């Protein structure tokens, strides 16, 4: 256990109503979207739930809970991960990026703009995860081939099936960056 | 971006970017389960482990002992809920099976609801609910010994209305060339990426429901009936829907349970059901079987068409799609006979899934067309041309029909003339190449809608209607239409959807939203323009200019707000009143005086490996005509997504059923096969200009459910061309091509 995880003091007397809060007895510190923060969580709490329910960052979605769909994708120390399969305690001391952290102060991220331009957004539910998977790819490999792109987002399901447009969007960003 | 944003041709609107694009790429779009509520309790559903029988005993002690558990609802706690009659189409409940037991009617039926302070606690407790069942042997699907066939005569009225013309049996007997073939399509589940969620929040007697919905007024009214309260006490909010495809069109049993739980606890309750539960707590596309017999002259004219369908449904509910209604009208058949038989089994009740009637029935028709072309030694495109007709066998005329234009454009783009007819004659090394084609068709439905539009002197426009954008692009096309009609820049238009506090819109089903809502919107905008032109040319001392601000000043008002109602021609005068009560009246398609359909032609190349029989679809070209195209970008998105659904139907998707237990086996996103990016290669969409002033005031035919029709047949036809093997049962899997 790193120093970024601390056992919170357990209240001496807990009523039934308070038990759950009392169970949030781990304080986990990490960097979220560029800002350091500490959250009190239960040891069993999933990163996706901490983001959505605890921090109100509902751009991260959960659509299977078993790691099959990629909707809950977050970027952990530069790597796309499934936040529905990770305990929040596991991100202690690390850097987490979610969709809410992508847009700059003046404008949205080029990948976000490209998704709008190519019509890669339909119902929008897979979109945040898809964009984060794309960002992790482009951060690592700024000039991916079409096959690299397909490989990178093959873990993200889109049921409106905007696939070719999603690939066009990512390709557009890759080819626009000098 | 020429591909993403095709250049508009005649009768097509510009490809403006998606209105809700920014909200969706930034994560700002709040779907119903994203809406924060104060201190919610979390619900977890307990579902039946048997498909037929009854609950003998339910022991809750271990579940109640889990820390954080607040309450567990069982059958006894839900007796106050009223039974809502099953009805297809959004006007009633999605199923008659609404009780939590003790009788069990299908696997995965909801039998209890656990409520706890946290999701984890609710889930843990749900797994500790100890249930003893008395199980009986269920009927899982077709051919089960205890399944019940409902003969068309029993069904009565519906059977009498199915298409029939001439003496098809006699025409078949005397035909020069005949075919007789049977086809089958599997059960499929929508699997929208967003799960089924419900959040219920009481404030005194007022109930707010946040739930992804394709018909908020339907949900509001049906829920009121189920809870036994006045519909005016309920507000349903669903501004964004994370995919639906039919699964969120009707009230399913969960909603009333969550509302009831929230009232008992005096606290908001939030349910996010699991992916496996999604297979049994809502609807699905049922498996079907078909027999088609066709007779033709040597020159290709089809003289006899007999289409029989069998559809699976639940034990109590007569859900049926009866797509013979569409297949029998596609070409100028000489004589027609149709018949649909329902088979009742111990399953959850099926329901609408993207293009419900035409996906299975047009697949069967378009496969049979290919078989007939082969029998005649005719090019499959030429067989369609020989039978292309502006009138069906019953004498009904088409309002517009651009089928052969679609075929010709798609064939040219595809390079169809390079095809050699003999199966197995095209090859690239170890890959057998097959080219196939098929017709896509979707009935153009008509429905009523209300709308409210507000215009301010600054040129700000607000459009309000309880219609639904389930990823289709309705926000965008309404904004475009309002900007056009009122002559304001697009970015001045705000659109509000998916909330029963707004004027009622139609169910987002039957690809009817753009036509219905758009037609109402055009009316409201015309009324606003009329009020503007009624302004005096000049008032003493006032401005005389034509600027909006000047006109408003002369009118002496601060804004214009117009409420308008659209009722399709021939619709009942109380259509809007019915809509307020959650009853949508859908007409059109083959049911009016004229046949109204959006049509298309899809061409596919498949590559089948000569040794391993691995199947690939390197390219697919579709050309579509659907009246006025509002926005070429969102239209392309819808059609392309549809074509990929078609590839999925042909090669991937099937809900596998355990025949012993009447249970879905692959009830998760790993085992329920859908294409990923790597499966999809080149997809080309061609929009064919078409005008049709008869369908509705804006002349648009719905196309959200067009692209996925016929694709599966185009692929099986191509697989036959590659290999000489005719697959008559979907999906095509490589084991079916071995040996």
């Amino acid at each position: 256990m790193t120093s970024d995880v601390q056992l919170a003091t357990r209240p001496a007397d807990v009523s039934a109503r308070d038990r759950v809060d009392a169970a949030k007895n781990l304080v986990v510190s990490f960097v979220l979207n560029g800002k350091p923060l500490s959250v009190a969580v239960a040891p069993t709490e999933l990163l996706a739930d901490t983001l959505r329910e605890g921090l109100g960052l509902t751009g991260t979605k959960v659509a299977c809970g078993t790691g099959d769909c990629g909707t809950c994708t977050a970027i952990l120390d530069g790597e796309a991960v499934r936040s529905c399969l990770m305990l929040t305690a596991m991100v202690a001391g690390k850097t987490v990026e979610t969709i809410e952290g992508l847009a700059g102060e003046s404008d949205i991220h080029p990948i976000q703009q490209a998704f709008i331009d190519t019509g890669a957004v339909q119902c929008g539910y897979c979109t945040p995860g898809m964009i984060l998977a794309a960002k992790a790819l482009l951060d690592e490999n700024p000039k991916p081939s079409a096959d690299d792109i397909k490989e990178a987002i093959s873990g993200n399901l889109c049921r409106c099936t905007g696939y070719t447009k999603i690939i066009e969007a990512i390709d557009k960003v890759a080819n626009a960056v000098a | 971006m020429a591909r993403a944003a095709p250049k508009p041709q005649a009768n097509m609107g510009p490809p403006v970017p998606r209105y809700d694009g920014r909200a969706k790429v930034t994560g700002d779009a709040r779907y119903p389960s994203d809406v924060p509520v104060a201190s919610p309790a979390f619900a977890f559903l307990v579902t039946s482990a048997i498909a037929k029988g009854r609950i003998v005993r339910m022991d809750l002690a271990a579940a109640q002992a889990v820390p954080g558990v607040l309450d567990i609802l069982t059958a006894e706690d839900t007796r106050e809920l009223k039974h809502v009659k099953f009805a297809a189409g959004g006007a009633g409940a999605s199923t008659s099976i609404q009780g939590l037991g003790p009788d069990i009617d299908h696997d995965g039926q909801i039998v209890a609801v656990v409520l706890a302070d946290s999701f984890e606690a609710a889930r843990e407790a749900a797994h500790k609910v100890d249930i003893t069942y008395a199980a009986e042997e269920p009927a899982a699907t077709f051919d089960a010994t205890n399944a019940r066939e409902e003969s068309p005569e029993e069904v009565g009225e519906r059977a009498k209305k199915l298409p029939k013309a001439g003496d098809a049996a006699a025409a078949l007997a005397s035909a020069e060339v005949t075919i007789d073939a049977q086809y089958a399509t599997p059960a499929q589940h929508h699997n929208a990426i967003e799960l089924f969620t419900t959040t219920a929040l009481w404030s005194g007697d007022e109930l707010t429901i946040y739930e992804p919905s394709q018909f908020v007024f339907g949900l509001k009214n049906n829920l009121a009936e189920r809870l036994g309260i006045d519909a005016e006490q309920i507000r349903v909010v669903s501004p964004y829907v994370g995919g639906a495809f039919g699964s969120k069109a009707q009230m399913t049993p969960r909603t009333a349970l969550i509302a009831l739980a929230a009232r008992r606890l005096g606290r908001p309750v939030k349910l996010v059901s699991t992916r496996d539960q999604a297979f049994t707590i809502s609807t699905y596309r049922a498996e079907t079987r078909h027999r088609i017999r066709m007779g033709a002259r040597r020159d290709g004219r089809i003289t006899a068409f007999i289409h029989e369908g069998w559809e699976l449904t639940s034990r109590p509910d007569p859900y049926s799609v009866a797509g013979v209604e569409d297949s029998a009208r596609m070409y100028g058949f000489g004589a027609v006979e149709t018949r649909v038989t329902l088979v009742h089994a111990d399953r959850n009740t099926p329901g609408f899934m993207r293009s419900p009637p035409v996906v299975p029935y047009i697949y069967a028709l378009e496969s049979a067309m290919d078989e007939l072309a082969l029998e005649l030694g005719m090019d499959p495109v030429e067989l369609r041309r020989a039978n292309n007709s502006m009138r069906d066998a019953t004498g009904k005329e088409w309002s517009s029909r651009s089928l052969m234009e679609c075929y010709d454009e798609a064939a040219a783009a595809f390079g169809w003339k390079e095809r050699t007819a003999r199966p197995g004659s095209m090859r690239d090394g170890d890959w057998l190449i097959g080219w196939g084609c098929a017709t896509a068709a979707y009935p153009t439905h008509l429905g009523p809608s209300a709308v409210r539009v507000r215009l301010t002197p600054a040129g700000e426009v607000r459009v309000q209607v309880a219609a639904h954008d389930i990823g289709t692009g309705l926000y965008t096309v309404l904004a475009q239409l309002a900007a056009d009609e009122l002559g304001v820049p697009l970015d001045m238009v705000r659109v509000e959807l998916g909330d029963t506090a707004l004027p009622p819109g139609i169910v987002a089903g039957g690809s009817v939203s753009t036509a219905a809502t758009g037609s109402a919107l055009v009316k409201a905008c015309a009324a606003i323009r009329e009020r503007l032109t009624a302004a005096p040319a000049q008032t003493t001392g006032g401005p005389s200019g034509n600027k909006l601000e000047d006109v408003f000043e002369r009118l002496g008002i601060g804004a214009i707000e117009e409420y308008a109602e659209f009722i399709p021609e021939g619709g009942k005068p109380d259509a809007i009143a019915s809509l307020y009560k959650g009853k949508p009246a859908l007409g059109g398609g083959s049911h009016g005086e004229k046949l109204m359909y959006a049509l298309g032609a899809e061409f596919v190349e498949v590559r089948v490996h000569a040794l391993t029989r691995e199947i690939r679809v390197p390219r697919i070209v579709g050309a579509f005509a659907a009246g006025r195209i509002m926005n070429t970008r969102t239209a392309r998105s819808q059609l392309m997504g549809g074509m990929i659904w078609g590839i999925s139907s042909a090669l991937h998707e099937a809900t596998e059923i355990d025949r012993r237990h009447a249970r879905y086996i692959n009830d998760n996103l790993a085992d329920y096969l859908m294409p990923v990016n790597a499966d999809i290669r080149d997809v080309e969409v061609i929009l064919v200009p078409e005008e049709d002033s008869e369908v509705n005031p804006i002349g648009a035919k719905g196309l959200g459910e067009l692209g996925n029709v016929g694709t599966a047949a185009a692929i099986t036809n191509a697989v036959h061309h590659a290999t000489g093997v005719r697959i008559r049962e979907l999906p095509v899997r490589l084991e079916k091509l071995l040996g």
Side-chain angles (χ1 to χ4, degrees):
Chain A
M1 192 180 287
T2 76
S3 61
D4 294 303
V5 183
Q6 291 170 351
L7 208 56
T9 314
R10 188 182 289 271
D13 178 34
V14 289
S15 67
R17 179 66 190 81
D18 290 336
R19 260 189 309 211
V20 169
D21 287 340
K24 289 183 184 287
N25 56 2
L26 281 186
V27 176
V28 181
S29 300
F30 60 104
V31 176
L32 177 62
N33 295 329
K35 290 183 189 134
L37 101 168
S38 298
V39 287
V41 299
T44 55
E45 197 165 312
L46 297 167
L47 179 58
D49 289 337
T50 301
L51 293 171
R52 286 180 57 80
E53 301 293 342
L55 299 167
L57 298 178
T58 52
T60 300
K61 311 295 183 193
V62 176
C64 69
T66 47
D68 300 321
C69 74
T71 314
C72 67
T73 299
I75 299 177
L76 180 66
D77 282 350
E79 198 185 332
V81 296
R82 303 274 195 256
S83 67
C84 80
L85 294 183
M86 300 199 69
L87 297 173
T88 305
M90 294 162 75
V91 307
K94 297 179 191 283
T95 298
V96 176
E97 288 171 79
T98 69
I99 193 70
E100 289 86 354
L102 239 62
E105 274 182 20
S106 55
D107 213 351
I108 56 177
H109 191 278
I111 301 176
Q112 292 173 313
Q113 188 59 51
F115 267 63
I116 297 174
D117 292 344
T118 62
V121 181
Q122 294 183 59
C123 88
Y125 214 74
C126 74
T127 305
M130 204 67 87
I131 288 174
L132 289 166
K135 181 169 189 292
L137 167 72
L138 295 181
D139 286 351
E140 172 81 21
N141 174 10
K143 289 282 174 199
S145 67
D147 283 342
D148 292 338
I149 295 172
K150 288 185 179 190
E151 176 71 28
I153 54 174
S154 63
N156 293 67
L157 293 177
C158 166
R159 184 59 158 160
C160 303
T161 55
Y163 290 147
T164 59
K165 292 163 290 172
I166 292 165
I167 293 160
E168 282 166 29
I170 300 168
D171 188 52
K172 186 186 176 199
V173 179
N175 288 320
V177 177
Chain B
M1 279 309 107
R3 271 176 74 97
K7 191 168 177 287
Q9 302 175 66
N11 205 25
M12 295 184 194
V16 306
R18 196 170 280 266
Y19 173 90
D20 44 346
R22 194 182 172 101
K24 286 177 173 174
V25 299
T26 54
D28 286 347
R30 282 201 192 272
Y31 297 78
S33 71
D34 299 338
V35 175
V37 289
S39 189
F42 292 85
F44 199 97
L45 303 175
V46 181
T47 55
S48 164
I50 63 164
K52 189 183 185 189
R54 55 193 304 275
I55 296 170
V56 177
R57 200 176 59 91
M58 197 184 271
D59 184 351
L60 303 178
Q64 280 160 337
V66 172
V69 169
L70 303 165
D71 196 1
I72 301 175
L73 266 62
T74 64
E76 275 144 46
D77 307 309
T78 59
R79 299 254 182 263
E80 65 188 87
L81 296 176
K82 314 283 185 289
H83 188 268
V84 178
K85 204 163 171 281
F86 160 81
S94 63
T95 175
S96 296
I97 305 162
Q98 293 160 21
L100 302 189
D103 293 329
I104 299 299
D105 295 294
H106 65 84
D107 181 67
Q109 179 181 336
I110 301 171
V111 293
V113 184
V114 177
L115 300 148
D117 277 322
S118 71
F119 175 77
E120 286 78 8
R123 181 176 54 187
E124 183 186 348
H127 287 115
K128 287 182 172 168
V129 172
D130 184 12
I131 304 174
T132 309
Y133 299 96
E136 295 167 40
E137 192 189 334
T141 181
F142 293 130
D143 303 332
T145 48
N146 46 353
R148 183 174 73 83
E149 272 207 9
E150 192 170 26
S151 71
E153 289 68 34
E154 265 182 276
V155 182
E157 283 311 300
R158 187 179 51 219
K160 284 181 205 146
K161 288 184 199 150
L162 294 177
K164 183 173 166 45
D167 187 343
L172 185 72
S174 63
E176 291 172 349
V177 177
T178 61
I179 60 147
D180 181 349
Q182 296 184 35
Y183 305 95
T185 64
Q188 295 179 333
H189 278 76
H190 312 79
N191 277 313
I193 300 297
E194 179 191 34
L195 290 163
F196 295 118
T197 76
T198 302
T199 302
L201 178 66
W202 288 89
S203 171
D205 287 339
E206 308 281 310
L207 171 64
T208 304
I209 296 286
Y210 299 97
E211 176 174 314
S213 171
Q214 290 171 262
F215 190 33
V216 288
F217 266 90
L219 184 55
K220 169 191 164 103
N221 282 278
N222 289 316
L223 180 60
E225 193 181 333
R226 182 115 173 88
L227 293 172
I229 64 174
D230 186 346
E232 289 319 299
Q233 290 168 248
I234 301 177
R235 179 179 174 198
V236 177
V237 184
S238 175
Y240 296 104
V241 180
F245 312 112
S247 66
K248 293 162 183 169
Q250 290 192 264
M251 181 177 72
T252 62
R254 74 182 193 274
T255 313
L257 298 172
I258 300 307
L260 185 65
R263 192 164 65 191
R264 278 166 66 103
L265 289 179
R267 182 174 169 187
V269 172
K270 186 169 181 175
L271 168 75
V272 178
S273 69
T274 62
R275 179 59 63 179
D276 60 313
Q277 289 170 347
F279 280 70
T280 62
I281 66 167
S282 182
T283 63
Y284 59 99
R285 190 196 301 284
E287 54 269 40
T288 67
R289 287 180 173 178
H290 306 261
R291 181 183 183 194
I292 291 184
R293 284 170 285 171
M294 284 205 267
R297 299 195 318 222
R298 275 271 156 231
D299 66 2
R301 285 300 302 273
I302 299 166
T303 52
F305 177 71
I306 304 175
H307 192 167
E308 297 165 86
W310 289 262
E311 301 178 21
L312 195 97
T313 187
S314 67
R315 198 62 85 169
D317 297 325
Y319 179 82
S320 167
V321 296
V324 292
E325 185 62 48
D326 308 295
S327 65
R329 304 183 190 280
M330 267 315 113
Y331 303 102
F333 300 125
V336 157
E337 198 176 311
T338 58
R339 184 185 168 98
V340 173
T341 304
L342 288 185
V343 177
H344 294 267
D346 298 302
R347 294 267 296 280
N348 48 325
T349 302
F352 297 130
M353 180 165 157
R354 199 172 191 176
S355 340
V358 278
V359 158
Y361 282 85
I362 297 295
Y363 153 71
L365 167 67
E366 290 300 303
S367 298
M369 288 295 282
D370 201 67
E371 300 210 36
L372 181 62
L374 213 71
E375 198 67 37
L376 286 162
M378 253 179 116
D379 182 282
V381 176
E382 295 315 307
L383 178 63
R384 270 89 176 182
R385 201 184 311 277
N387 291 283
N388 190 40
S389 171
M390 283 303 287
R391 218 176 266 281
D392 76 0
T394 70
K396 264 198 196 185
E397 216 181 317
W398 287 69
S399 66
S400 59
R401 177 179 168 97
S402 309
L403 181 67
M404 293 321 296
E405 288 82 348
C406 292
Y407 265 102
D408 291 340
E409 286 211 27
F414 186 84
W416 182 255
K417 65 178 192 307
E418 307 299 326
R419 179 180 186 263
T420 55
R422 192 172 51 81
S425 63
M426 293 170 72
R427 193 171 174 141
D428 177 8
D430 279 342
W431 291 92
L432 305 170
I433 296 173
W435 288 3
C437 64
T439 296
Y442 193 77
T444 301
H445 293 299
L446 309 171
S449 181
V451 72
R452 187 162 53 226
V453 182
R454 179 185 164 88
L455 174 72
T456 70
E460 298 152 325
V461 175
R462 188 184 64 192
V463 177
Q464 294 179 309
V465 54
H468 320 78
D469 189 329
I470 55 177
T472 46
L474 190 65
Y475 276 112
T476 313
V477 299
L478 292 182
Q480 263 182 292
L481 201 53
D484 273 0
E485 292 287 319
L486 295 173
V488 301
L490 190 60
D491 60 6
M492 296 297 275
V493 184
R494 204 171 95 198
V495 182
E496 295 175 12
L497 304 177
D499 185 338
T500 55
L502 308 175
I506 193 81
V507 58
S511 294
V512 74
S513 288
T514 298
T517 322
S519 296
L521 178 60
V522 166
K523 249 179 113 173
C525 292
I528 290 176
R529 285 198 312 268
E530 201 170 305
R531 286 178 62 182
L532 290 172
T533 52
Q538 202 166 3
T539 49
T540 34
S544 59
N546 284 328
K547 284 201 312 207
L548 210 48
E549 284 170 9
D550 302 336
V551 177
F552 269 98
E553 197 175 330
R554 291 203 298 278
L555 281 167
I557 52 176
I560 297 178
E561 189 163 283
E562 281 289 341
Y563 165 88
E565 297 182 345
F566 166 71
I567 299 174
E569 223 177 287
K572 290 186 180 149
D574 66 350
I576 299 293
S578 296
L579 208 50
Y580 269 103
K581 291 180 187 144
K583 299 192 192 313
L586 281 190
S590 59
H591 296 287
E593 270 180 35
K594 290 209 168 167
L595 297 172
M596 298 176 175
Y597 284 81
L599 294 170
E602 299 187 17
F603 287 73
V604 176
E605 175 174 320
V606 302
R607 288 179 170 237
V608 180
H609 196 275
L611 301 173
T612 65
R613 299 277 149 167
E614 181 186 350
I615 310 158
R616 291 281 150 198
V617 180
R619 63 194 183 104
I620 174 167
V621 176
F624 305 93
R628 177 174 171 191
I629 303 296
M630 309 301 289
N631 177 324
T632 55
R633 184 193 310 252
T634 53
R636 174 178 179 264
S637 275
Q638 286 288 292
L639 292 165
M640 177 181 280
M643 287 158 79
I644 297 171
W645 262 57
I647 296 173
S648 187
S649 260
L651 301 178
H652 301 263
E653 270 184 65
T655 303
E656 306 291 347
I657 300 159
D658 179 336
R659 296 185 63 96
R660 295 162 304 169
H661 300 112
R663 180 179 298 158
Y664 304 128
I665 301 166
N666 54 339
D667 57 355
N668 58 76
L669 293 180
D671 295 327
Y672 186 91
L673 300 184
M674 298 195 264
V676 297
N677 281 274
D679 291 313
I680 302 303
R681 313 300 288 193
D682 198 42
V683 182
E684 185 181 349
V685 175
I686 299 167
L687 299 169
V688 176
E690 182 184 68
E691 280 193 41
D692 189 331
S693 56
E694 294 185 63
V695 283
N696 51 58
I698 61 169
K701 297 177 175 180
L703 51 70
E705 297 172 86
L706 176 61
N708 60 319
V709 182
T711 325
I715 290 174
T716 50
N717 296 344
V719 166
H720 180 268
H721 183 234
T723 63
V725 180
R726 177 71 62 180
I727 305 291
R728 298 189 181 88
E729 184 175 5
L730 294 177
V732 181
R733 295 261 167 83
L734 61 82
E735 63 268 25
K736 294 180 185 171
L737 293 172
L738 289 169

